[in-house]
Amino acid sequence: MRASRVFVTNRESKHRLPLFLPVYQPHRQHGLLESWVDGPRVDGCIVNSYFLYKQRDLREQVLQQGLHDYLGFDGLVTTDSGAFQGFTRKLYLDNRDIVRFQDRIGSDILAPLDLVTPPGDSRSTAEAKLTATEKRIRQALGLVERGILAGVTQGGRYMDLRHRSVRTLRDMGVRYLALGSLVPFFNRNHDMGFVGAVARDAREVIGPDVPMHLYGAGDPCELPFLVACGVNIFDSASYGHFARDGWYMTPYGAIRDPGPLKAGEYRCACPACAEDPTSFPEGEDLFLHNLWTICATMEEINARLDADTLDAYLAEILEVHGRWFPNSALERSWRELVG
């Protein structure tokens, strides 16, 4: 079973941790996972299994080929269940069906059909969704034969419910923990308070050896801080969303003004920036630059962990980020979080 070889411990894993998984849409982003010859590796990706399942012809094709062959990608492939789409529309989808489908197509890490819990949900609603999600995870654990099931936490804005969620999943014996419904707590002002507190508490409860995945995290200037909070795996389509809005990612924060490039404060080594490192690439090249930046940041984090210099890296980010973004909440929220 591929997934069991990938995730043993941080030091023994086939793919190094921490790890970033770009959200990948095969029909729209063909070739994205092999976009450069030299540079940071793309070791894995995440694919929405609901989009594969809902079209009968496509569903049969993926079932016949297997997910890795269909994608033409031999790295780690994780799948989402469509839970986020279920927050905005009626899916007409059963937890058992989507879990079995993910397992049959060969997903390495698969997800239950959890219930997304946004910050606006009342305590009673958040608790009801948490209870229902736990029931679906128990059901899914009995269905998975090939891959590893992600135990997805919920609890909304209530720390005690989130703590309970992780404790319950630990007691179920989950081998992979995913922190759900935290995307709304990310913001352009980089306030790390709530997300960081959730991650630190979850790591303390689940222990050091279970991989912990934070769904939807993909801003390179925040990823090192989240790793310091105990997160191992990230996924996001941020590289595309930022590019569409004209944001150029750097390890110190995304910018829309090339001033730091023109001043020589930052230089990118990606192919998209090779011809003119003082201006932003355009169109698809900005997508590639952003993905490169995230993957390069993950390689830097791994190198810093190996050298035991992650704290120095965090201090460097805070210094540059503070100069570029004087109104950011990153340093204040981080200092409050770690005491």
Side-chain angles (χ1 to χ4, degrees):
M1 181 167 58
R2 181 186 285 106
S4 64
R5 294 201 305 270
V6 172
F7 292 108
V8 182
T9 69
N10 285 18
R11 295 299 179 185
E12 298 173 358
S13 60
K14 176 183 175 183
H15 296 289
R16 299 187 66 189
L17 299 177
L19 181 67
F20 176 73
L21 309 172
V23 174
Y24 184 52
Q25 300 179 50
H27 292 299
R28 298 182 183 179
Q29 300 170 311
H30 180 71
L32 177 70
L33 301 180
E34 300 175 355
S35 295
W36 49 76
V37 176
D38 298 314
R41 298 186 310 180
V42 179
D43 282 329
C45 68
I46 186 167
V47 177
N48 193 313
S49 66
Y50 169 67
F51 293 140
L52 301 177
Y53 180 84
K54 70 176 184 176
Q55 300 178 50
R56 180 177 298 178
D57 292 346
L58 183 55
R59 179 169 69 234
E60 293 304 319
Q61 180 183 350
V62 180
L63 282 167
Q64 183 176 5
Q65 285 187 253
L67 183 58
H68 288 81
D69 286 347
Y70 170 72
L71 297 176
F73 181 64
D74 194 38
L76 180 76
V77 179
T78 72
T79 46
D80 188 13
S81 63
F84 183 75
Q85 286 70 37
F87 179 61
T88 58
R89 72 189 79 162
K90 181 71 173 175
L91 295 184
Y92 303 101
L93 186 64
D94 183 81
N95 180 56
R96 291 168 293 189
D97 292 339
I98 195 63
V99 167
R100 287 193 182 107
F101 174 70
Q102 293 173 76
D103 201 37
R104 287 179 63 196
I105 63 177
S107 172
D108 294 314
I109 309 293
L110 49 139
L113 193 62
D114 57 299
L115 296 177
V116 175
T117 311
D121 277 355
S122 67
R123 182 180 180 84
S124 60
T125 299
E127 189 164 16
K129 287 183 175 181
L130 173 56
T131 300
T133 294
E134 290 171 348
K135 182 178 180 181
R136 292 181 182 189
I137 292 170
R138 284 193 183 91
Q139 180 186 63
L141 283 169
L143 299 173
V144 176
E145 298 178 351
R146 300 173 61 188
I148 292 177
L149 181 77
V152 183
T153 68
Q154 293 296 341
R157 67 178 187 269
Y158 304 98
M159 280 296 300
D160 63 316
L161 294 182
R162 287 191 174 270
H163 180 85
R164 167 193 140 183
S165 179
V166 181
R167 192 176 64 244
T168 300
L169 293 173
R170 178 201 63 195
D171 294 345
M172 285 186 197
V174 298
R175 300 159 59 197
Y176 186 101
L177 189 73
L179 306 180
S181 299
L182 285 174
V183 169
F185 294 95
F186 289 104
N187 57 71
R188 291 285 188 203
N189 205 35
H190 304 289
D191 190 325
M192 302 291 293
F194 185 76
V195 175
V198 169
R200 293 181 79 190
D201 181 70
R203 176 52 71 196
E204 183 175 346
V205 173
I206 201 66
D209 296 328
V210 175
M212 191 163 78
H213 181 160
L214 176 49
Y215 282 148
D219 190 325
C221 86
E222 296 175 351
L223 298 182
F225 297 92
L226 294 168
V227 168
C229 291
V231 182
N232 303 119
I233 303 105
F234 306 90
D235 79 88
S236 182
S238 59
Y239 61 95
H241 296 318
F242 276 56
R244 276 191 290 271
D245 291 336
W247 291 96
Y248 177 96
M249 284 182 165
T250 84
Y252 310 108
I255 55 179
R256 298 187 75 172
D257 183 333
L261 279 60
K262 294 181 183 298
E265 295 182 64
Y266 179 72
R267 285 289 183 269
C268 176
C270 82
C273 293
E275 289 190 11
D276 183 5
T278 64
S279 65
F280 295 166
E282 298 179 351
E284 294 296 318
D285 284 342
L286 186 54
F287 281 61
L288 295 180
H289 159 82
N290 285 347
L291 180 57
W292 171 290
T293 301
I294 297 171
C295 294
T297 297
M298 298 310 298
E299 290 205 346
E300 181 67 22
I301 291 169
N302 275 298
R304 296 288 186 147
L305 289 172
D306 286 344
D308 198 24
T309 58
L310 183 62
D311 286 345
Y313 186 43
L314 300 184
E316 174 190 326
I317 295 169
L318 289 176
E319 192 277 323
V320 177
H321 182 86
R323 284 193 285 108
W324 289 7
F325 309 97
N327 297 320
S328 170
L330 180 60
E331 182 166 11
R332 173 193 56 76
S333 62
W334 181 247
R335 300 299 183 203
E336 290 175 354
L337 182 65
V338 298

